């Protein structure tokens, strides 16, 4: 077994955060399901979340009460706000927030956006996702930008990738980079490989790392075609992501 590769960060490393919004007693709670239950425990100050993410979550807790935004009730299929999805870029230090609601009608949206925009200059965008069916699947099918951008740029090694709100990307980019480098070292690429297939590559961080590595191997070879890493992705938003830049 190869030696363990530690994370460069022990805390504040998780750049993708999905949280449940519910009411427990008389208070709103934003957090995670306790294992094997649908009881929610508070995660608004989780140590593995970046400080900026926790700040936005805590502000949302306050806003839910102040603006009277009803958390979703799973048993009755009532209420409005079901889930939060937050992305954080270690490269740009920006946060992208998605509010998953039970229906499109969101009368408090304007006041909420105004307050979050005022308090958090690092908030690059807010998106509303409509999930109007019972069940505990997080995403609905419809996304509507409410403010700013609906994607976030993150850097994986030398590549900068544009990540849409619903696309998969590794939650710990520095560790992902170490994994990619180790796999490429094991692969012993020579530069004459044609393609590498991988299912569900998300926004393509690994296939593009492969293409970059092949390109480096080919740069001294005259008339070689452009190197490409190829993957198979089911999510249209991820497949249509803008190409990376160095």
């Amino acid at each position: 077994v190869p030696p363990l590769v530690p994370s460069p960060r022990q805390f504040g490393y998780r750049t993708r955060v999905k949280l449940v919004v519910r009411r427990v007693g008389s208070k709103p709670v934003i957090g995670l399901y306790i294992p094997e239950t649908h009881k929610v425990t508070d995660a608004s100050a989780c140590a593995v979340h970046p400080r900026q993410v926790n700040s936005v979550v805590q502000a949302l807790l306050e806003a839910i009460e102040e603006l009277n935004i009803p958390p979703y009730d799973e048993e009755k299929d009532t209420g409005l706000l079901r889930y939060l999805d937050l992305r954080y870029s270690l490269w740009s230090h920006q946060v992208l927030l998605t509010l998953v609601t039970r229906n499109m009608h969101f009368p408090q949206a304007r006041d909420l956006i105004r307050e979050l925009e005022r308090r958090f200059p690092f908030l690059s965008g807010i998106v509303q996702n409509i999930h109007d069916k019972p069940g505990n699947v997080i995403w609905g099918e419809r996304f509507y930008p409410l403010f700013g951008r609906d994607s976030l740029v993150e850097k994986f090694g030398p590549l900068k990738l544009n990540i849409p709100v619903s696309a998969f990307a590794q939650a710990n980019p520095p560790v992902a980079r170490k994994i990619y480098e180790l796999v490429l070292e094991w692969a012993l690429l020579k530069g004459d490989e044609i393609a590498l297939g991988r299912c569900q590559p998300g926004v393509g961080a690994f296939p593009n790392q492969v293409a970059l590595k092949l390109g480096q191997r080919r740069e001294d070879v005259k008339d070689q075609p452009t190197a490409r890493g190829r993957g198979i992705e089911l999510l249209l938003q991820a497949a249509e992501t803008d190409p990376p830049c160095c």
Side-chain angles (χ1 to χ4, degrees):
V1 177
L4 294 176
V5 179
S7 171
R9 295 168 175 249
Q10 290 184 311
F11 303 103
Y13 65 83
R14 188 168 182 83
T15 60
R16 178 77 183 275
V17 177
K18 302 176 183 179
L19 298 172
V20 186
V21 182
R22 296 292 184 268
R23 186 173 293 281
V24 178
S26 61
K27 294 289 184 181
V29 174
I30 298 176
L32 301 169
Y33 288 127
I34 297 172
E36 300 182 6
T37 77
H38 271 214
K39 296 179 179 178
V40 179
T41 185
D42 177 78
S44 60
C46 181
V48 302
H49 298 166
R51 172 183 54 81
Q52 293 89 335
V53 167
N54 284 339
S55 296
V56 172
V57 171
Q58 290 159 13
L60 283 165
L61 266 177
E62 298 171 8
I64 287 171
E65 292 202 282
E66 293 174 0
L67 299 177
N68 194 27
I69 302 172
Y72 181 64
D73 187 312
E74 194 171 16
E75 294 182 359
K76 299 177 181 178
D77 191 29
T78 59
L80 179 64
L81 190 55
R82 301 178 69 143
Y83 300 102
L84 306 177
D85 183 274
L86 301 101
R87 289 186 181 275
Y88 176 73
S89 170
L90 292 173
W91 175 73
S92 68
H93 307 293
Q94 293 182 324
V95 172
L96 176 62
L97 169 66
T98 302
L99 305 166
V100 182
T101 59
R102 189 174 66 91
N103 47 49
M104 188 170 183
H105 184 57
F106 192 173
Q108 304 91 338
R110 182 175 296 179
D111 290 337
L112 177 62
I113 292 167
R114 186 183 299 115
E115 177 64 11
L116 294 176
E117 184 183 6
R118 181 186 67 82
R119 293 180 62 174
F120 304 114
F122 55 78
L123 190 61
S124 65
I126 301 175
V127 176
Q128 182 182 7
N129 173 258
I130 315 301
H131 183 0
D132 55 5
K133 299 177 182 178
N136 60 355
V137 175
I138 292 181
W139 292 125
E141 296 179 356
R142 293 173 289 165
F143 291 85
Y144 297 97
L146 300 177
F147 158 76
R149 295 174 55 86
D150 61 357
S151 61
L152 193 67
V153 177
E154 181 59 277
K155 195 170 184 181
F156 293 84
L159 298 176
K160 288 185 285 187
L161 295 175
N162 190 48
I163 307 173
V165 289
S166 60
F168 170 79
Q170 295 290 341
N172 190 334
V175 167
R177 178 183 181 182
K178 287 189 173 187
I179 293 172
Y180 300 153
E181 291 173 348
L182 186 59
V183 171
L184 289 172
E185 179 184 331
W186 290 344
L188 300 175
L189 297 175
K190 299 176 182 179
D192 57 354
E193 290 83 355
I194 296 174
L196 181 143
R198 180 175 182 264
C199 291
Q200 296 182 317
V203 293
F206 184 63
N208 280 294
Q209 293 282 347
V210 173
L212 183 64
K213 189 72 172 180
L214 288 173
Q216 292 171 348
R217 296 292 190 193
R218 295 181 182 191
E219 62 184 3
D220 295 327
V221 181
K222 187 178 180 180
D223 298 328
Q224 282 284 0
T226 301
R228 294 179 184 273
R230 298 177 182 176
I232 301 171
E233 175 57 55
L234 300 179
L235 184 66
L236 182 62
Q237 293 94 328
E240 293 181 339
T241 299
D242 293 338
C245 58
C246 296

